[in-house]
Amino acid sequence: MTVTRRALALSLALIAAAPALAHHGWRWTEGGKFELTGTVTEADLGNPHGVLTMDADGEIWTVEVGQPWRNERAGLTDEMMAPGAELTILGARSADPEELLVKAEAVTIGDQSYELYPGRL
């Protein structure tokens, strides 16, 4: 493969991956702290990060929690975030006000708080 074709192939691969790469990290959030309390209705706690669907006063929210290793390090188990669990999420909300999406920095269950990103709190 020539250098030009390699460069073109790499450019196309990066363009195709851009939406996925842009979503990870914190750049898509509005910054600041946002609190959400609700009941888990669905939980997918695999890689690249866990995703909860929560009902908060009739609004359906998507909550990104940590990767499995991060949840475990914080003391959270999958059972603690299973459907039916009542959680309070402290995190960063999507910068798009139409998108009911929050990235969790900490999860509170009852009176116990589990910090996923201690350096951000």
Side-chain angles (χ1 to χ4, degrees), residues 7 12 16 19 21 25 34 38 43 48 74 80 82-84 88-89 100 104-105 108 119-120:
L12 291 174
L21 292 173
F34 179 77
M80 296 165 81
T88 297
I89 305 298
L100 301 180
E105 296 174 19
T108 301
R120 293 190 59 88

Side-chain angles (χ1 to χ4, degrees), residues 63-105:
V63 178
E64 288 187 3
V65 291
Q67 304 91 330
W69 64 266
R70 186 179 297 279
N71 297 337
E72 183 179 330
R73 185 180 72 191
L76 286 167
T77 65
D78 290 359
E79 293 76 26
M80 296 165 81
M81 297 183 285
E86 177 88 12
L87 309 176
T88 297
I89 305 298
L90 179 63
R93 183 183 176 159
S94 172
D96 178 352
E98 299 295 316
E99 188 173 41
L100 301 180
L101 174 63
V102 61
K103 184 164 183 165
E105 296 174 19

Side-chain angles (χ1 to χ4, degrees), residues 23 28-30 34-36 51-64 89 92-104:
H23 185 73
W28 57 273
T29 67
E30 67 180 6
F34 179 77
E35 187 173 286
L36 175 74
V51 177
L52 305 174
T53 303
M54 291 180 58
D55 182 333
D57 296 324
E59 289 186 320
I60 303 303
W61 284 79
T62 300
V63 178
E64 288 187 3
I89 305 298
R93 183 183 176 159
S94 172
D96 178 352
E98 299 295 316
E99 188 173 41
L100 301 180
L101 174 63
V102 61
K103 184 164 183 165

